Amino acid sequence: MCGIVGAVAQRDVADILVEGLKRLEYRGYDSSGVAIINSDKQLQRLRRVGKVQALADAIAQQPLSGGTGIAHTRWATHGVPSEANAHPHISSDNIAIVHNGIIENHEKLRTQLQALGYIFTSETDTEVIAHLVHHEMKSHANLLTAVQATVKQLEGAYGTVITDKNTPEKMIVARSGSPLVIGFGLGENFIASDMMALLPVTRKFAFLEEGDVAEITRHDVNIFDTHGTPVEREAKESEVSHDAGDKGEYRHYMLKETYEQPTAIRNTLDGRFLNNKLSIDSFGKNAQAIFKDIEHVQIIACGTSYHSGMVARYWLEALSGVSCNIEIASEFRYRKSFVPKNALIVTISQSGETADTLAALRLAKELGYSASLAICNVPGSSLVRESDLAFMTKAGAEIGVASTKAFTTQLVGLLMLTLAIGAQHGMTAEQESCIIKSLMTLPNKLEEVLALAGSIEDLAEDFADKHHSLFLGRGDQYPIAMEGALKLKEISYIHAEAYAAGELKHGPLALIDAEMPVIVVAPRNDLIEKLKSNIEEVRARGGLMYVFADVDAKFASDDTMKVINVPHCDDIIAPIVYTLPLQLLSYYVAIIKGTDVDQPRNLAKSVTVE
Ligand code: F6R
């Protein structure tokens, strides 16, 4: 949510900031803005509603010079998307700030600051930080100590960057609950909410930790922890490629990322096996000892990542010899739950920064879970740093707001988790080797599935005038039906619901008519005959079905049913294989509907606020 970029350099930084914002636009895109201090110590600000391009156009008409600047792309929380609410916010023409997160005590602070004579020009919670820093400057020697005093008064979450036009040689940054990464350049330094923003200018990064405040100049970075003690944060070279943020030959990031899945899965599998056995170290140094002792797995995640956890529950309970529960993070964190003995908490997250998942992990640690494991796509993210163990998916940067390759690589990681725990709880070498063999066939199988794109595209037209749809699956395909429904509603804005097909007659059958397309995922597994009966229930009520079926399952298209034959695959990997046709379907429907595929309305990547 929201994106931050900041720079202190000798050269003009406007282009660097705008390029950084474009690379972060997937995080929030209702308005954007930039503030730059020029060589005459004047603060120049430009803000625009809408996409970052609107800001770039404004800067082209009204160029901004200067080597110190901050920029922001917004996903509105407090106050509508408008120029007045867009960041940066300024106090008394001196202090400029950008902020990600939510200041929970903003109303109280606003009243106090108004009493001191500060005039507010926006509805945002952020503006209080600008005025508070300005107020603190009156009693502090410099911007750093003023910001240190300010953050002590803030409740809630922030990643914030502050400049003062009187000291253009520096910016102050502070992190609590919303990530910030420092980028080290040659005679110039940078800050961003995601290193993706800075890849065109540097490869060397250090993540701030919770409570850190840092002073950044062209030549120095001084970091202080919550207590004001100077600390070092390790700087590392990033392996993410510069063009990870490019669409290449594809029309949308989502399509590119859908097609990247065979490679993402090859990368996720690479180097994890030795002599046809999983190397448990893929989960971290102590993984073997931890997995040996656990008797229960509690999975926590949000959205698409939650769906991968739902599949994992089927796998873990069927194969690994431990019990498993899965819960949505925003529910788990606010209820009193029972903590089973010897339980492992597993969080799943593409970004590793999702506020609810992070809060749920922290709660689980307080509650006394034996150990924690993060399945995550972003090295160095909060979830990874705060967990005992981590399995890194190697999906590469995912820019499209609708998650695709992150989901299927999570599933690969979770199947490996099933193997890893199973190996400590009685899974036979033969079972293990069978699953590994299936996993190895996966990338090629997915390439075969992607070849179905043309026939899936042909179906999309049928959805152009539809307002509702129903997705059905059974067993480990039920979460895949849920994921298909989420993708469709997210990017095409068609209302989509998913049901375990056996539940149809307990209510949803009442919805069936010719206006309600029903999408069914039908691999040839033990449940196929049961699923066929459910299909007949729909057919008998005049429903129109789209069935993604195993080529050997003997489905034929007719007036009531369009069948797309999916290549046969082993049962265990079928949830991953059947995900792709549903991703493609939602993509092509969104194209027909003309929606903004990569940046669907009201959504943002990486939900770092509650
Ligand atoms: C949907 C989607 C979201 C995320 C959810 C959790 O396509 O991407 O539902 O899955 O916001 O995000 P992470 O995985 O970053 O914790």
Side-chain angles (χ1 to χ4, degrees), residues 3 100 245 249 266 324 340 358 387 393 456 460 518 547 567 576 608:
N100 285 358
E249 70 198 73
R266 273 187 199 104
C324 176
L358 202 49
S387 300
T393 52
I456 296 173
V518 179
V547 184
I576 307 172
T608 51

Side-chain angles (χ1 to χ4, degrees), residues 281-338:
D281 279 1
S282 301
F283 292 84
K285 285 271 169 292
N286 282 332
Q288 182 151 12
I290 290 174
F291 292 164
K292 207 178 181 75
D293 286 345
I294 60 146
E295 294 169 43
H296 179 76
V297 172
Q298 172 69 56
I299 302 178
I300 300 289
C302 302
T304 286
S305 299
Y306 171 74
H307 296 152
S308 70
M310 282 186 72
V311 176
R313 179 165 168 264
Y314 285 89
W315 287 336
L316 280 160
E317 293 216 331
L319 297 162
S320 78
V322 298
S323 57
C324 176
N325 266 337
I326 158 110
E327 190 162 356
I328 292 167
S330 56
E331 287 298 311
F332 179 85
R333 65 179 288 195
Y334 288 119
R335 78 180 181 91
K336 289 200 169 66
S337 58
F338 176 77

Side-chain angles (χ1 to χ4, degrees), residues 335-521:
R335 78 180 181 91
K336 289 200 169 66
S337 58
F338 176 77
V339 184
K341 202 161 87 28
N342 297 330
L344 174 74
I345 190 97
V346 176
T347 56
I348 310 170
S349 173
Q350 186 283 129
S351 61
E353 301 293 349
T354 301
D356 284 321
T357 312
L358 202 49
L361 169 66
R362 289 174 183 158
L363 172 68
K365 287 163 107 179
E366 276 170 31
L367 290 175
Y369 275 83
S370 307
S372 54
L373 161 71
I375 309 261
C376 189
N377 194 39
V378 180
S381 58
S382 304
L383 223 45
V384 170
R385 281 186 286 116
E386 295 187 28
S387 300
D388 302 317
L389 302 174
F391 178 91
M392 299 315 303
T393 52
K394 299 276 174 66
E398 191 179 68
I399 310 284
V401 164
S403 187
T404 50
K405 59 180 181 169
F407 176 68
T408 45
T409 53
Q410 282 168 355
L411 286 171
V412 167
L414 288 160
L415 193 45
M416 285 198 239
L417 178 65
T418 308
L419 290 173
I421 296 178
Q424 310 306 312
H425 295 262
M427 184 184 275
T428 63
E430 196 190 337
Q431 274 178 310
E432 180 173 359
S433 131
C434 237
I435 295 174
I436 294 173
K437 255 195 218 131
S438 296
L439 267 172
M440 292 307 171
T441 64
L442 193 52
N444 290 346
K445 197 55 77 181
L446 296 187
E447 266 153 17
E448 289 176 45
V449 176
L450 288 170
L452 301 174
S455 39
I456 296 173
E457 189 175 0
D458 292 343
L459 302 179
E461 191 70 49
D462 293 9
F463 289 75
D465 59 344
K466 297 291 183 287
H467 299 289
H468 306 279
S469 60
L470 197 61
F471 284 69
L472 300 178
R474 291 192 83 124
D476 58 15
Q477 292 290 336
Y478 166 44
I480 300 309
M482 292 176 77
E483 174 58 11
L486 179 62
K487 286 286 94 87
L488 190 70
K489 68 184 124 188
E490 239 182 318
I491 62 168
S492 75
Y493 315 151
I494 294 176
H495 169 222
E497 278 199 68
Y499 270 91
E503 272 292 289
L504 263 187
K505 52 186 153 317
H506 300 292
L509 256 189
L511 295 170
I512 302 296
D513 64 17
E515 290 309 302
M516 170 79 107
V518 179
I519 297 100
V520 188
V521 269

Side-chain angles (χ1 to χ4, degrees), residues 529-550:
E529 293 309 322
K530 303 273 173 214
L531 188 68
K532 282 184 176 169
S533 308
N534 302 135
I535 286 173
E536 290 313 317
E537 290 164 6
V538 175
R539 197 200 299 273
R541 272 110 192 145
L544 189 57
M545 281 170 291
Y546 299 83
V547 184
F548 293 91
D550 188 302

